[in-house]
Amino acid sequence: MKPNIHDVAKIAGVSSTTVSRVLNNRGYISEKTKEKVYRAMEEINYFPNDLARSLFRKRTNLIGLIIPNSSNPFFGELAFHIESICTSMGYKLLLCNSLHRKDKEEKYLEMLIRNQVDGVIAVTYNRGILNYHKQNLPIVAIDHYLSDSIPVVGSDNYDGGKKAAELLIEKECRHIVHINGPIELTTPANLRRKAYEDVMHKHGRQPITYEVPFYQDYHDIISTLFDEQPDTDGIFSSDDIMAAAVMTEAKKRGKDIPNQLKVIGYDGTETVQSILPELTTIQQPIELISKTAIEILAKEIEGEFDDIPPETYLPVRLLEGRTT
Amino acid sequence: MKPNIHDVAKIAGVSSTTVSRVLNNRGYISEKTKEKVYRAMEEINYFPNDLARSLFRKRTNLIGLIIPNSSNPFFGELAFHIESICTSMGYKLLLCNSLHRKDKEEKYLEMLIRNQVDGVIAVTYNRGILNYHKQNLPIVAIDHYLSDSIPVVGSDNYDGGKKAAELLIEKECRHIVHINGPIELTTPANLRRKAYEDVMHKHGRQPITYEVPFYQDYHDIISTLFDEQPDTDGIFSSDDIMAAAVMTEAKKRGKDIPNQLKVIGYDGTETVQSILPELTTIQQPIELISKTAIEILAKEIEGEFDDIPPETYLPVRLLEGRTT
DNA sequence: CTGAAAGCGCTTACAG
DNA sequence: CTGAAAGCGCTTACAG
């Protein structure tokens, strides 16, 4: 069996209280005793059981991360940064892929509660998460409004949408179309659309937005867009994956990018940038978003609710490639 | 404070033993008592503390996943599938991004041990993990030999390399070059290289492999390859990301793909396929690899070591795009 | 069918 | 500077 603190105590010839003190570097312990205890721990290859510690302390240093899907480059990178930062702060990360499904989100949340996580970082549109907030579990949301009391962190979506739309106008596109996710979602990402529409109106243009519902194949919608809007010479896609699909469809139809059609995406993940460096896009500061979200969550965990901003929007950056 | 089993017992008017029995559906309990207990749990919003349960049972249902980096599409998808399958089997996943760094791998492993994980799935080249195996912690490795006693699961790398090399030969490439990771790594992925070399020799060709060490920018190496091997008309890259970089470099140099240069990658992740559908590649069965690895790990956890194959190689598939 | 007691592996007042 | 005792929130023989 795995050795426990009593085994260490026996070998070191002290009480388990003393071993615990050495472990936690707490109270006065003579150097000699410390030595003995360390030697004993090493001898039997002892590692403290964090379950027992957490049970007593009512603190697990466990954080739950609920994202739709770590396969997606944006979420994959978000998960990477969040995990890295958590680790550097002494937190451990429980990964949950909800696939945007409400039932899964709820089950995951219950699992996280049962596992006594100290807090949850959620990228989810499911306001059902609210019900759990009553348990006063610290939560921070990324790019989604979950409730008035849950802080949100994200990129400056309005500015990103504005930058994208303005670039296409600047590049003298005449017929600019926008592709976005479902509008019902209460996500700040809708601000990308709002900004696009505002810019269009400001320039006396008619905004046209194609919506991609969840679970629907965006290829069909992009194909429809090309059919219905043959004059399109500028497309602002609210994410890079769809922008790539637009590029593929344009190539298929013999439309030259950027001469006949200019394309700009959103996210600017390392992955997409490395695979498709020509894609112009609005880059989200994923690492900064991660860092900010964790810092806010850490404050909630420590009970410092005073200086937590309800919404934090981090600056985006225009990455100009050759598609515009 | 969070309610515990005694709070439930008090409200239901029974002992905590009975509540526990209801919770675990164990032994005989009258329907009436069950009802009362369930009602009480609901009334105070009770969720059992899995920490306490796990402490007693010496079983956490926690699995640790160590991957280099969830930002990479292959590992992001692997993490997604592993997490999904774990969840469907009642396991929870602790995510660790090692960045291929030995010190990080060791720290993560210690963390996982302290947290009493039931098992570990590792994608790491660090044989240092061996030291921990003494703790008889169930481990399964993906695509890397860690030790004789640690089962390995991966794609059929030899067949993949063979398929790739043969395709280029079939397509009448005269000068075929291979790009691979560092050869020192004791990974079955070296079989991709071996297969390439075998196929080349079989056809009386001279194999040429460019190695990309960790942490080195592969762009430089690709650029060097183009400089040093100007006649190259076929490149087999051992991963899709580098294949994409080859495509970018070719475009920069005005080399037409596939007419002047044919490119084939490896991995065939959903992400790369959706962004770069034209890329010909060898697709790894990521979901199947995940499933197999978890099943093997589950057997180790249950102590059924008999029918665990030391090595499992799952079939790959050639996805032909327009780059060959 | 139900409950009191012991124990999982720790930590922390408390006492000395 | 060190130890005995109680307790974190559960579960499981054991007894009735």
Side-chain angles (χ1 to χ4, degrees), chain A residues 244-264:
Chain A
V246 165
M247 289 169 66
T248 302
E249 183 69 23
K251 204 177 283 178
K252 196 191 286 175
R253 296 185 181 228
K255 266 208 166 184
D256 181 69
I257 292 175
N259 293 325
Q260 295 169 281
L261 174 66
K262 302 199 194 310
V263 180
I264 179 165

Side-chain angles (χ1 to χ4, degrees), chain A residues 119-137:
Chain A
V120 172
I121 300 176
V123 188
T124 154
Y125 71 98
N126 176 15
R127 287 183 152 248
I129 241 172
L130 275 181
N131 303 327
Y132 291 97
H133 198 236
K134 288 178 202 147
Q135 304 242 354
N136 53 4
L137 172 68

Side-chain angles (χ1 to χ4, degrees), chain B residues 64-115:
Chain B
L65 173 65
I66 304 181
I67 54 177
N69 189 335
S70 67
S71 294
N72 174 291
F74 180 75
F75 297 123
E77 293 184 19
L78 193 71
F80 167 70
H81 285 113
I82 287 180
E83 192 280 309
S84 299
I85 299 167
C86 277
T87 293
S88 75
M89 294 173 69
Y91 288 112
K92 300 152 283 186
L93 196 76
L94 239 19
L95 178 67
C96 307
N97 289 104
S98 70
L99 292 175
H100 273 129
R101 276 174 49 187
K102 191 172 168 170
D103 58 328
K104 280 182 168 277
E105 288 173 0
E106 275 165 3
K107 276 193 190 141
Y108 275 123
L109 206 41
E110 185 179 321
M111 178 278 277
L112 295 173
I113 288 171
R114 287 169 178 256
N115 281 275

Side-chain angles (χ1 to χ4, degrees), chain A residues 15 17-18 21 28-29 33 56 58:
Chain A
S15 72
T17 306
T18 298
R21 268 206 208 82
Y28 300 90
I29 326 119
T33 308
F56 185 88
K58 295 169 179 301

Side-chain angles (χ1 to χ4, degrees), chain B residues 126-137:
Chain B
N126 176 14
R127 287 181 153 251
I129 241 172
L130 275 181
N131 302 328
Y132 291 98
H133 199 237
K134 288 179 206 148
Q135 304 244 351
N136 55 1
L137 173 66

